Amino acid sequence: MLRNLVGYISKRAEARVIVPQDEKIIWKFNSDKVVKEFYCFTDADLGGNSDGKFTLNSQNKALFSGTLSTKIKPGMQLKYTGFCSLRSIVPRRFPRGEILQDWSNFDAIEFRVRGDGRAYLVNLHHQTFRPDDLFQAFMFTRGGPDWESVRIPFSNFFLANSGYMQDKDADISYAIARIRTIGLLLADRVDGPFQLEIDNIKVVRSAMHITRGYHQNLTYKVNMDHYRKTEKYMKKNYGPVSG
Amino acid sequence: MQVHKIRAGYIRITNTSVTKIITAVLSNWNHTWTFSRCNRLHHGLLRRPTMIASAPIIVKRFKSNDKIKNLITVGAILEEALQTKQKDSFHQAIDKFNARDRQRRGHVDFIYSALSLIDKFELEQDIETYNKLLDVFPKDRFVNRSWLDVVWPKPHPQIDCALDVLTKMEEEGILPNEDTYRILYDVFGRKSFPLQKAQRIEYWFTRFKDINPYKLPSPVPTDPIELGSIALQRIAGSDGVITIYEHDKKNGEDKFLLAIQSPNQKQFLTNYDTSKPLLVEGPFRVWLSKYPQYYYVLRAHASVQIGEEKNEEGLVVGTCMLRGNNMSMLNLWIDRLRKEISQLSNVEIIFDINHSQSVPITAEDNAIEIER
């Protein structure tokens, strides 16, 4: 079933497909029930000093807060420590199996956040026989009293395995079709408290998109059924192509 | 070429290779055709040119006494350098170690000790120091000589040592040099882990060089007013106007009041409904890389509608940062604002300090800021 057709086109024959904009809200943090779909784990489980929690604050927004500590206790056998992370719980299907997310029709992930100026890492975990594989991308927050929408295109994500960035070209399109969990990680090696308020998380598709590949190849993605829909849409609204 | 007799019937040959023995033996025959043939054999089989300072094939095993003696002398060299904490003394200590013996015995211990002392010499950002430290490894000894070394690699502790040096470079954010690559190639070979790591450092650092949209100028300013200005510009936007209302230094204590307000915010205040109060909230924290900055915010009341969107919190109309007695400084700020915008003199100001979302600023936090 050719749902997606991926074409590699040279710069000379660059074509842009106009696809209608779309977005899908995956999580909107306005109730305790949604907040409980995430769990927070820090290096306290491994013997470290950091602490973190994910709660709903008085203005009905999710708050990821705590303190990061890179202090190594004398008995620990670690060289580096200090991380706080948030991960969504995978919903399970009865009688067995997991419900995976499919975002192949979208280009980017968008967070509506009010951060404190720290750099967080967005982790996308997908179904794979390598459980330590993680697609990661940096999310820089502005800080200050205003809310901001941080949009991270999927092409910005790089592949990492147990914290080490991988060399090989990793095309995220295969992972986007089978997302298990999404998470946020703070590990910027700065001791101190942090807080990040999240309003919602959504995936978006922009009207016109050219995806840049991992190694800067110019690629673009054509969704076949959307292409057909677009033709209909264009004919309906703009009339038949003349000339 | 040295020949040692170790046990009856066995000889150990050091500082050479098998082909050299053959040529040495054959060259005694004085037959030109064999000699030239052996020369070609010599050049054909040898994959790497033998270096002058190449190590013997058999490594002398340390006795425990020797190791402790070595550690003591290594420590002594570095302690001498610690007396004058300068780049020259550190480099001279490395030169002294290199001059001790050709095989550089105990170089792993020396490199680890020197690495732990780089911070004390304040040479973390200096690429030449790291290159000089990597130069301590004896050359051409840990290179893979055949496919057998690739399939069954020898677990040299020197590889872990080099990786630790490169990890420290990575943490400080330094790119490897041409010299780094040359040294690592000579020591470990073309497809070795340390050389691969140096390549990865360069690739990822150049790839992520410009991804931070909120990058601070380098070197990061240490003056609290400069840092505060950067934080305030980030909060209020590029069209904000920063005013320093008060700045005096007495008895080593800095006291200042920095405020920012954009023209739009000012205009909003001139048209403000004077029956509604204004709120001063704070302190809130914003991080500039590793420096926390604390700011207070002047907000319109939440019931004042702006535009079509529903707003749960009031619009921000001014931001300030201060050092010193909190309440007196905030009052000063409000007084100055009232002077500038006459409509505010009748408006009620509510102070909401130690707001639930904020962290109380204590004298300790202030001290930490000054130290950094």
Side-chain angles (χ1 to χ4, degrees):
Chain A
M1 195 166 80
L2 276 175
R3 258 179 92 207
N4 298 318
L5 177 75
V6 182
Y8 289 86
I9 292 181
S10 70
K11 251 189 172 165
R12 247 187 315 163
E14 196 181 275
R16 288 158 198 242
V17 174
I18 299 173
V19 189
Q21 256 183 1
D22 198 8
E23 66 179 37
K24 174 178 158 190
I25 294 180
I26 318 173
W27 280 286
K28 184 147 176 75
F29 297 101
N30 48 12
S31 69
D32 236 343
K33 193 177 124 191
V34 186
V35 166
K36 287 215 170 96
E37 285 178 27
F38 282 75
Y39 72 99
C40 184
F41 71 98
T42 68
D43 68 346
D45 307 326
L46 304 171
N49 256 351
S50 327
D51 73 279
K53 58 186 196 298
F54 191 58
T55 52
L56 194 71
N57 73 0
S58 51
Q59 288 160 0
N60 261 359
K61 303 271 188 318
L63 174 68
F64 177 41
S65 65
T67 325
L68 192 80
S69 160
T70 55
K71 188 172 133 192
I72 299 181
K73 290 183 193 157
M76 278 162 76
Q77 282 183 342
L78 291 173
K79 265 192 195 171
Y80 311 100
T81 185
F83 73 89
C84 287
S85 98
L86 197 66
R87 210 177 231 205
S88 70
I89 299 174
V90 195
R92 303 204 74 92
R93 179 182 286 134
F94 185 79
R96 59 187 281 270
E98 290 172 342
I99 299 174
L100 303 175
Q101 304 252 14
D102 183 2
W103 299 336
S104 339
N105 288 332
F106 300 96
D107 293 329
I109 191 162
E110 202 172 292
F111 290 82
R112 184 145 180 85
V113 289
R114 179 158 67 175
D116 56 353
R118 280 190 154 194
Y120 296 83
L121 271 168
V122 179
N123 297 340
L124 286 179
H125 193 224
H126 58 109
Q127 184 196 54
T128 170
F129 56 84
R130 288 187 300 235
D132 297 322
D133 260 6
L134 213 59
F135 275 96
Q136 298 187 308
F138 288 103
M139 178 168 91
F140 293 98
T141 52
R142 194 193 168 113
D146 294 322
W147 286 85
E148 58 172 341
S149 285
V150 182
R151 180 184 286 213
I152 308 169
F154 291 138
S155 48
N156 272 11
F157 284 81
F158 53 86
L159 182 64
N161 184 304
S162 15
Y164 288 100
M165 294 165 172
Q166 299 303 299
D167 296 334
K168 301 279 178 186
D169 193 348
D171 191 7
I172 200 180
S173 50
Y174 79 94
I176 288 296
R178 40 187 74 82
I179 296 280
R180 282 182 79 238
T181 73
I182 182 171
L184 278 174
L185 171 68
L186 177 69
D188 55 4
R189 289 187 284 138
V190 174
D191 288 337
F194 67 92
Q195 58 190 47
L196 180 76
E197 290 167 70
I198 317 177
D199 184 17
N200 60 32
I201 302 177
K202 55 187 178 191
V203 279
V204 301
R205 181 181 66 232
S206 46
M208 183 168 72
H209 186 75
I210 299 175
T211 316
R212 288 206 179 270
Y214 184 85
H215 287 300
Q216 303 289 314
N217 290 322
L218 195 68
T219 72
Y220 83 64
K221 208 168 167 172
V222 177
N223 297 329
M224 284 301 271
D225 46 350
H226 282 286
Y227 186 76
R228 282 192 214 108
K229 277 187 199 165
T230 313
E231 275 199 51
K232 247 198 212 170
Y233 172 85
M234 295 289 277
K235 269 192 196 149
K236 188 172 152 195
N237 293 317
Y238 298 102
V241 176
S242 58
Chain B
M1 187 165 95
Q2 295 156 27
V3 177
H4 309 276
K5 195 172 173 188
I6 303 227
R7 279 187 299 204
Y10 292 88
I11 51 166
R12 208 70 92 202
I13 301 170
T14 57
N15 265 352
T16 185
S17 66
V18 173
T19 49
K20 254 190 168 172
I21 304 162
I22 296 172
T23 51
V25 165
L26 289 175
S27 64
N28 288 326
W29 283 8
N30 272 336
H31 285 198
T32 44
W33 69 268
T34 50
F35 187 77
S36 59
R37 206 162 151 226
C38 293
N39 261 340
R40 263 182 272 137
L41 197 73
H42 174 96
H43 287 299
L45 278 182
L46 267 171
R47 285 192 195 91
R48 290 180 72 84
T50 46
M51 311 277 283
I52 296 165
S54 64
I57 294 170
I58 307 300
V59 177
K60 181 177 168 183
R61 284 190 189 275
F62 268 124
K63 292 183 194 166
S64 56
N65 275 343
D66 280 347
K67 185 149 174 106
I68 292 170
K69 265 194 225 166
N70 181 58
L71 283 172
I72 291 169
T73 39
V74 156
I77 295 174
L78 288 171
E79 258 179 49
E80 221 183 291
L82 260 179
Q83 281 157 12
T84 52
K85 290 189 184 173
Q86 282 185 15
K87 181 174 168 175
D88 287 336
S89 48
F90 193 78
H91 284 224
Q92 273 167 26
I94 297 176
D95 287 332
K96 264 190 213 169
F97 179 82
N98 288 345
R100 278 173 79 222
D101 77 293
R102 204 196 272 170
Q103 284 95 355
R104 314 251 167 110
R105 288 201 194 111
H107 58 269
V108 176
D109 294 322
F110 176 77
I111 292 175
Y112 272 124
S113 324
L115 195 66
S116 59
L117 293 176
I118 281 183
D119 284 338
K120 292 197 179 149
F121 283 82
E122 291 171 16
L123 290 171
E124 315 101 37
Q125 296 288 326
D126 186 25
I127 181 71
E128 288 170 9
T129 310
Y130 290 108
N131 285 343
K132 204 158 170 80
L133 207 53
L134 286 170
D135 218 359
V136 172
F137 287 114
K139 309 291 177 291
D140 206 32
R141 205 175 117 187
F142 315 112
V143 180
N144 289 343
R145 294 197 187 278
S146 70
W147 62 271
L148 293 162
D149 290 325
V150 178
V151 177
W152 292 289
K154 297 188 164 53
H156 295 298
Q158 286 83 356
I159 292 179
D160 292 317
C161 185
L163 289 175
D164 283 333
V165 175
L166 288 168
T167 307
K168 180 143 177 81
M169 256 172 73
E170 194 181 359
E171 278 179 16
E172 303 294 335
I174 304 163
L175 282 176
N177 220 351
E178 269 176 24
D179 289 333
T180 322
Y181 285 114
R182 181 185 53 80
I183 292 165
L184 289 173
Y185 177 86
D186 285 339
V187 175
F188 294 105
R190 189 170 59 96
K191 284 265 190 177
S192 54
F193 286 122
L195 191 63
Q196 268 185 356
K197 187 177 169 83
Q199 287 169 334
R200 283 184 192 126
I201 292 174
E202 177 141 25
Y203 175 74
W204 290 107
F205 278 26
T206 42
R207 191 160 160 213
F208 292 144
K209 204 165 69 120
D210 297 320
I211 52 166
N212 189 354
Y214 309 116
K215 203 167 181 174
L216 295 178
S218 76
V220 181
T222 45
D223 183 25
I225 290 189
E226 274 189 58
L227 268 180
S229 317
I230 297 171
L232 287 177
Q233 289 276 215
R234 213 202 268 188
I235 292 167
S238 48
D239 59 346
V241 174
I242 294 185
T243 27
I244 303 176
Y245 285 116
E246 186 172 304
H247 180 210
D248 45 42
K249 292 182 179 176
K250 280 184 213 169
N251 307 331
E253 272 181 30
D254 240 354
K255 260 191 177 183
F256 62 80
L257 175 68
L258 271 179
I260 191 170
Q261 199 172 45
S262 71
N264 285 339
Q265 287 171 336
K266 224 171 189 170
Q267 188 160 47
F268 180 82
L269 280 179
T270 52
N271 304 333
Y272 192 63
D273 180 7
T274 49
S275 60
K276 301 273 171 65
L278 285 172
L279 293 106
V280 173
E281 291 176 354
F284 298 108
R285 179 178 26 240
V286 64
W287 286 88
L288 294 177
S289 82
K290 48 185 178 177
Y291 306 107
Q293 304 293 310
Y294 299 92
Y295 63 94
Y296 293 82
V297 141
L298 182 69
R299 273 213 145 100
H301 197 251
S303 57
V304 176
Q305 196 68 20
I306 308 122
E308 294 167 356
E309 284 176 6
K310 210 173 38 165
N311 56 328
E312 293 142 357
E313 301 167 353
L315 181 73
V316 170
V317 284
T319 325
C320 88
M321 274 194 183
L322 48 87
R323 187 75 64 82
N325 186 352
N326 295 350
M327 280 316 296
S328 65
M329 284 294 195
L330 286 173
N331 282 324
L332 181 74
W333 179 40
I334 298 297
D335 285 338
R336 295 286 164 86
L337 276 179
R338 277 183 167 149
K339 274 187 202 155
E340 286 172 19
I341 305 166
S342 50
Q343 286 89 340
L344 289 185
S345 35
N346 297 328
V347 174
E348 187 193 345
I349 310 272
I350 303 175
F351 287 86
D352 192 1
I353 311 298
N354 291 344
H355 201 249
S356 63
Q357 283 178 28
S358 67
V359 177
I361 180 169
T362 59
E364 273 176 349
D365 292 338
N366 264 330
I368 294 167
E369 275 183 71
I370 294 167
E371 268 169 20
R372 278 177 176 166

